[in-house]
Amino acid sequence: MPAITFIHSDGRSDRVDVSDGESAMQAATRQGLDGILAECGGNAMCATCHVYVDDGWLSRLPAMAGDEDALLDGAAAERRPASRLSCQIKVTPELDGLVLRLPERQV
Ligand code: FES
């Protein structure tokens, strides 16, 4: 089972186990992680699951679709080159060890 780490804006970190087929957002919300709201339930409609992908991992993720790209423009926190929607990151065994940084706010 892969595990990923979320780093909060205050420096705290949470390591989260990810079940087969889950997105990073699903794993975070299932385990009650604060900092991911996921108001639309993973339908790429809210941008409240915004994360910054840590250095070195971005190129290992699948490319983002057009709707994710457009939605990130409206995210509450600053959009950066490493911005992604965590509901669109399906965690495969190859992503074991992935590090995602949480923005200061999601709304
Ligand atoms: S949960 Fe709404 S866009 Fe990801």
Side-chain angles (χ1 to χ4, degrees):
M1 176 183 289
I4 61 178
T5 298
F6 289 89
I7 299 178
H8 298 261
S9 58
D10 62 5
R12 287 177 298 127
S13 65
D14 284 307
R15 187 174 157 90
V16 171
D17 291 327
V18 187
S19 301
D20 200 26
E22 271 189 326
S23 69
M25 176 281 282
Q26 288 171 319
T29 55
R30 178 173 52 76
Q31 294 174 59
L33 187 104
D34 61 325
I36 297 277
L37 300 183
E39 289 176 344
C40 77
N43 293 308
M45 294 175 66
C46 73
T48 62
C49 64
H50 181 197
V51 293
Y52 302 119
V53 180
D54 205 40
D55 292 346
W57 286 100
L58 196 60
S59 63
R60 297 164 69 175
L61 300 182
M64 70 172 77
D67 52 351
E68 180 181 359
D69 192 17
L71 208 55
L72 281 166
D73 284 339
E78 171 196 13
R79 180 177 182 169
R80 300 176 188 165
S83 287
R84 293 294 302 257
L85 296 178
S86 58
C87 70
Q88 303 302 302
I89 302 173
K90 191 163 201 163
V91 181
T92 60
E94 293 73 32
L95 293 179
D96 183 40
L98 174 68
V99 177
L100 301 173
R101 295 181 180 273
L102 293 163
E104 284 187 11
R105 59 196 180 100
Q106 295 286 8
V107 291

